[in-house]
Amino acid sequence: MRISEKHSALKHVNKAVEYNNMLIEIDFRNTTGVYLFKKISKEVLKQVDELLKLDLSNELRIILDELRTMLSDDSFNGDETSKILVKLKEKISEFSAKYRVLFLPYKYSMWDSLESIHEAAQKDPECEAYVMPIPYYDKDNNGNMTEMHDESDLYPKDLDVVSWREHTVDEINPDIIFIHNPYDDGNLMTSIHPDYYTRKLVRDDRLVVYVPYYVSYTDDPDMMTSLGFAEMYADYVITQSEWYKDKYVKHLNEYRRQGEDIHSIVDYYDNGHKFAVLGNPKYDKVATLAKKSYPLSDGWHDALFCGAGQRLTLLLDTTVELVLKQRENVFEKINAVIDVVEERRDMALIWRPHPLIEVTISDMAPELEETYRRTIERCRNLDNCIFDDTPDMHRAMAWSDCFFGKYGSMLELYRHTGKPAVMLDLGGTDSSVRDYDEGALSGKVHAGEVLREEELGMGTVLEFCREYQYVPADFEQKETFGERIYKFSKEALVRKISK
């Protein structure tokens, strides 16, 4: 029996109990009593009919037939029908109900935001888990959908993905849906397929849970937040921290002030505790990073290794937000970092721009297209540099020794690896080496603190990274973030459908 059927059955039994209690109070010695008995007993029989439509065992069907007979008999005995209803409720409550859970990822590079939830669902004997990658589209300057992207083939073969071309959400009929796209049709550059907009997924008999595809370094004073349509319509939004929860609540209240229509929509979809601080599965992925899990291609090996040993490998991240805020300054900084690596043969660079950088520049900063193209060519032409546009960022994270970036998920995640994470200074690149306390800086790295180029200088940071002794971060915990989110979602579903 499905969890939705179980709770539907319990609702029908509870309703039958209410009507049965009314029958017990009826005085059969007058005409009014006889009339009321016939009228109310029909309501009980309606509940019996609804129960018989469900997937019930033969034992329960026999009990229901017995109840029907007693209600049709002129010698009604309220105590006996009460006993049957109690027995019926006990039997249904004992059933082990099945949960059907559907994951709707759209970009494979963001699957890590759902992966450990899926692993938790697969381990649950009560769960049927389905993964259905959905398509998404680029948009032109007028907001029209153009090229479609379907990344279904990128997912591991052992995941047994379900094709969106062959199945609909309603055919699968999930009890819980996990999504990680926040925008629906509210993004200027891309859109998931309209069939999967959050407002079309939400129903009274299912739970829709939005898990952000990103985490953020919230100590950054320039950190900005926004609230998409998914956060508005979903039953629950999983947040990485109380900081994010507070920001989301403020954004939701700002929506309420935009007019009565929007206020009504927000209130309709707000259950009063929409934002749940439960971390993010992306942290689970970082906890299991290991080089052996990400074998290198010949090109990567040649770039990262010199002789028998690996070069000091820098991972450089470039975010969409950084490009839009800093424009030309970003590429001046990237080229300054490439200058350093080009001069130092004992160093290597992995430059990994955000997957949406190219379409962002094309739509919102076309004057940067030529600069971006030239910078990519320069990186690719150096034998100790890698331009990483692969869909999985974890290979770069596993094989690098330190991280350089500003804003974005990778900075937040990398600081949890036990390796140095450095906040870039776009104002300059100081190649000199200053005096520094190696023990103090190592302590900061082990504590997950971000180092700042602005305070130390590029030369000092690189010298420290060369001498730093890597100690894998200790992520031991009783349950993963994915397990925590999955458990919460099951309990939240029961609360919702039990009302």
Side-chain angles (χ1 to χ4, degrees):
M1 177 181 283
R2 293 278 299 280
I3 183 66
S4 55
E5 286 186 316
K6 178 177 178 177
H7 282 270
S8 177
L10 290 172
K11 285 181 180 179
H12 289 306
V13 173
N14 288 334
K15 185 63 70 174
V17 169
E18 290 180 21
Y19 286 128
N20 186 67
N21 290 338
M22 293 180 190
L23 293 176
I24 293 173
E25 299 297 322
I26 290 176
D27 183 354
F28 292 95
R29 292 172 297 181
N30 55 56
T31 305
T32 302
V34 173
Y35 169 77
L36 287 174
F37 176 80
K38 289 181 178 180
K39 187 174 181 63
I40 296 173
S41 62
K42 284 182 180 179
E43 296 301 320
V44 182
L45 290 172
K46 284 182 182 179
Q47 304 306 314
V48 172
D49 290 339
E50 291 299 318
L51 285 164
L52 288 169
K53 293 177 183 178
L54 302 176
D55 183 19
L56 302 177
S57 66
N58 288 333
E59 180 185 9
L60 288 182
R61 290 182 178 278
I62 291 171
I63 294 174
L64 287 169
D65 286 338
E66 184 181 354
L67 180 61
R68 178 186 290 280
T69 300
M70 294 186 69
L71 288 166
S72 304
D73 198 328
D74 292 337
S75 57
F76 170 75
N77 186 321
D79 290 338
E80 290 300 316
T81 53
S82 294
K83 290 178 182 178
I84 290 177
L85 287 168
V86 168
K87 182 179 180 182
L88 190 63
K89 187 171 183 177
E90 288 176 349
K91 291 290 183 182
I92 294 174
S93 298
E94 290 171 359
F95 279 3
S96 178
K98 285 285 187 181
Y99 292 76
R100 187 169 293 170
V101 179
L102 177 62
F103 296 83
L104 295 178
Y106 78 110
K107 287 185 71 68
Y108 173 67
S109 62
M110 301 170 180
W111 170 240
D112 61 332
S113 63
L114 299 176
E115 189 172 11
S116 63
I117 306 175
H118 178 256
E119 290 171 355
Q122 283 189 309
K123 293 176 183 176
D124 182 3
E126 295 182 342
C127 178
E128 299 174 5
Y130 299 84
V131 179
M132 188 165 74
I134 59 176
Y136 64 98
Y137 299 84
D138 296 332
K139 284 184 175 180
D140 62 21
N141 291 331
N142 296 318
N144 300 311
M145 295 183 191
T146 55
E147 183 180 0
M148 187 187 80
H149 303 274
D150 180 3
E151 300 188 359
S152 300
D153 293 342
L154 297 179
Y155 291 77
K157 300 302 180 185
D158 59 357
L159 208 55
D160 291 331
V161 300
V162 176
S163 171
W164 66 273
R165 297 180 186 274
E166 299 174 6
H167 302 276
T168 67
V169 172
D170 286 341
E171 284 175 352
I172 297 172
N173 192 23
D175 301 300
I176 303 174
I177 299 176
F178 288 102
I179 60 175
H180 67 183
N181 179 282
Y183 304 112
D184 290 349
D185 52 346
N187 192 320
L188 296 175
M189 296 177 294
T190 61
S191 172
I192 57 173
H193 192 294
D195 286 353
Y196 307 101
Y197 288 164
T198 314
R199 60 182 177 271
K200 297 182 181 181
L201 301 177
V202 175
R203 284 191 343 200
D204 290 340
D205 60 346
R206 72 164 62 126
L207 197 77
V208 177
V209 182
Y210 165 67
V211 184
Y213 64 74
Y214 60 88
V215 291
S216 302
Y217 180 58
T218 55
D219 287 346
D220 186 341
D222 296 327
M223 181 62 208
M224 298 177 63
T225 61
S226 61
L227 198 70
F229 289 139
E231 288 107 326
M232 185 187 298
Y233 291 113
D235 293 289
Y236 286 94
V237 175
I238 307 302
T239 71
Q240 74 181 63
S241 64
E242 290 287 347
W243 185 92
Y244 254 108
K245 178 181 177 179
D246 291 343
K247 293 289 185 181
Y248 281 152
V249 169
K250 289 179 181 177
H251 285 310
L252 207 60
N253 289 332
E254 288 170 4
Y255 275 128
R256 285 188 170 95
R257 291 192 287 269
Q258 291 181 13
E260 187 174 335
D261 291 343
I262 296 180
H263 190 292
S264 298
I265 293 173
V266 171
D267 283 353
Y268 181 82
Y269 288 98
D270 185 11
N271 55 27
H273 41 266
K274 180 187 287 280
F275 305 107
V277 182
L278 297 170
N280 192 289
K282 294 178 81 71
Y283 293 119
D284 295 327
K285 187 73 172 182
V286 170
T288 62
L289 281 182
K291 290 180 178 180
K292 64 181 180 180
S293 301
Y294 300 94
L296 296 177
S297 64
D298 291 342
W300 277 56
H301 185 276
D302 292 344
L304 300 188
F305 281 80
C306 180
Q310 183 180 343
R311 294 178 166 106
L312 176 67
T313 302
L314 285 60
L315 172 55
L316 176 62
D317 176 43
T318 309
T319 65
V320 171
E321 184 179 2
L322 191 62
V323 170
L324 292 179
K325 282 184 174 181
Q326 297 292 336
R327 305 282 169 152
E328 292 85 356
N329 291 344
V330 173
F331 295 100
E332 289 179 10
K333 186 65 179 184
I334 293 170
N335 278 284
V337 174
I338 294 176
D339 287 342
V340 173
V341 176
E342 186 176 17
E343 295 171 3
R344 300 284 295 271
R345 304 304 300 167
D346 59 343
M347 292 174 54
L349 173 68
I350 303 172
W351 176 30
R352 184 176 174 83
H354 189 280
L356 295 178
I357 287 282
E358 186 171 356
V359 67
T360 301
I361 289 176
S362 176
D363 291 346
M364 304 179 70
E367 73 278 6
L368 299 178
E369 285 184 312
E370 180 61 23
T371 302
Y372 183 52
R373 184 188 61 79
R374 288 200 309 269
T375 307
I376 291 174
E377 288 180 0
R378 184 186 179 200
C379 180
R380 283 176 166 159
N381 288 335
L382 293 176
D383 61 6
N384 61 338
C385 287
I386 295 170
F387 177 74
D388 181 16
D389 58 353
T390 60
D392 190 349
M393 68 179 177
H394 297 101
R395 175 172 284 100
M397 294 182 70
W399 282 95
S400 57
D401 298 302
C402 51
F403 172 89
F404 291 84
K406 192 173 179 68
Y407 315 125
S409 289
M410 287 186 72
L411 175 63
E412 169 65 13
L413 291 172
Y414 207 92
R415 74 186 185 92
H416 288 281
T417 64
K419 296 184 285 189
V422 181
M423 177 79 76
L424 282 176
D425 173 22
L426 298 184
T429 303
D430 181 3
S431 59
S432 64
V433 179
R434 311 172 194 169
D435 290 335
Y436 66 93
D437 186 333
E438 184 177 340
L441 291 186
S442 294
K444 287 185 176 182
V445 174
H446 293 156
E449 294 185 35
V450 172
L451 306 182
R452 295 181 177 271
E453 182 195 355
E454 184 178 10
E455 299 173 359
L456 299 169
M458 178 66 77
T460 304
V461 168
L462 292 175
E463 185 64 24
F464 166 71
C465 291
R466 183 186 308 283
E467 300 299 325
Y468 175 74
Q469 298 298 309
Y470 169 51
V471 178
D474 182 7
F475 265 87
E476 282 192 27
Q477 54 189 38
K478 291 183 179 179
E479 58 183 359
T480 66
F481 292 107
E483 289 170 340
R484 187 181 301 170
I485 294 167
Y486 176 68
K487 179 181 177 182
F488 167 85
S489 300
K490 285 181 65 176
E491 293 170 351
L493 170 69
V494 171
R495 288 196 298 271
K496 179 178 181 179
I497 64 179
S498 298
K499 291 179 181 178

